[in-house]
Amino acid sequence: MNEQIKQIAERLAGLREVLEITPEEMTRVCMMSTEQYLELEKGETDISVSTLHLISQTYRVELTTLMFGDEPRMSSYFVTRKGKGVAVERTKAYKYQSLAAGFAGRNADPFLVTVHPKEEHEPVYQNTHPGQEYNMVLEGRLLLQINGKELILESGDSIYFNSELPHGMKALDGEKVTFLAVIIS
């Protein structure tokens, strides 16, 4: 596992310790087994943004604090210059760049997401999280599965959906895809 995932895992373990949360309570929030959750805390497995979002909403911790380790401080506005957003590459296939990490008390979390192509036969990983989500494809073509329905989005296409429905994405045509994702609480 890469170093960024291990750092996220350390922040999860630290949050649980500071708030005196048992692993069993955390597993109820994350909707997984205790064994699966403890693997996340050890940094042995990828931690989905949807799981981090559930934890951030439940314990009122900024999502970007869990992902990047920095506390947001701005409350009037926050500018992210081109290519300068705080980024985490959860796996070789997904890179998330926060576009508002420094703004405290956000009602939405905007990310620039880059998805690299996978083998054609690889399944689309599905996740869910509370709230709604907006995606706009900036470059490439994206296969988006929502609740069993497959949609293909091309550059300039966008979608707004209920993120409590199982959803996942995959880059098409053997090319990376870049899109704006806004998670709304």
Side-chain angles (χ1 to χ4, degrees):
M1 250 333 104
N2 75 33
E3 188 59 33
Q4 291 174 325
I5 292 173
K6 289 181 181 177
Q7 291 172 4
I8 293 170
E10 288 173 11
R11 286 191 284 277
L12 280 181
L15 174 71
R16 194 172 58 73
E17 183 179 315
V18 166
L19 296 179
E20 298 179 352
I21 302 166
T22 65
E24 292 74 23
E25 180 182 336
M26 195 64 93
T27 61
R28 283 190 295 276
V29 168
C30 297
M31 297 179 282
M32 60 180 60
S33 72
T34 302
E35 180 180 292
Q36 289 172 312
Y37 176 77
L38 291 175
E39 284 179 10
L40 295 182
E41 276 194 10
K42 291 177 186 174
E44 294 175 357
T45 185
D46 187 21
I47 305 167
S48 72
V49 172
S50 60
T51 298
L52 293 172
H53 185 73
L54 283 170
I55 293 167
S56 76
Q57 293 295 298
T58 302
Y59 298 108
R60 294 189 171 107
V61 176
E62 295 283 351
L63 176 58
T64 51
T65 301
L66 292 175
M67 290 180 72
F68 308 112
D70 293 327
E71 275 297 319
R73 292 175 174 76
M74 303 306 290
S75 61
S76 295
Y77 65 89
F78 181 78
V79 175
T80 302
R81 300 289 180 199
K82 182 178 179 179
K84 300 295 182 187
V86 183
V88 63
E89 202 161 327
R90 290 184 19 248
T91 66
K92 290 182 180 179
Y94 292 89
K95 177 183 178 185
Y96 284 81
Q97 182 179 8
S98 176
L99 301 177
F103 193 90
R106 292 181 308 281
N107 294 322
D109 283 294
F111 296 97
L112 186 61
V113 182
T114 303
V115 179
H116 293 278
K118 297 180 183 179
E119 296 295 323
E120 284 295 318
H121 66 279
E122 286 187 58
V124 175
Y125 173 74
Q126 301 281 308
N127 67 74
T128 64
H129 53 86
Q132 300 167 343
E133 187 168 328
Y134 172 79
N135 296 162
M136 180 176 187
V137 178
L138 304 173
E139 175 187 349
R141 289 181 1 116
L142 177 72
L143 170 66
L144 180 63
Q145 291 181 349
I146 301 175
N147 206 27
K149 174 126 176 105
E150 290 192 349
L151 303 161
I152 295 178
L153 302 176
E154 299 187 12
S155 182
D157 292 346
S158 65
I159 186 167
Y160 193 101
F161 61 94
N162 175 351
S163 55
E164 293 178 10
L165 298 173
H167 61 281
M169 70 252 343
K170 185 175 186 177
L172 294 176
D173 307 324
E175 300 288 329
K176 76 175 183 180
V177 64
T178 303
F179 63 97
L180 172 67
V182 182
I183 299 172
I184 301 114
S185 302

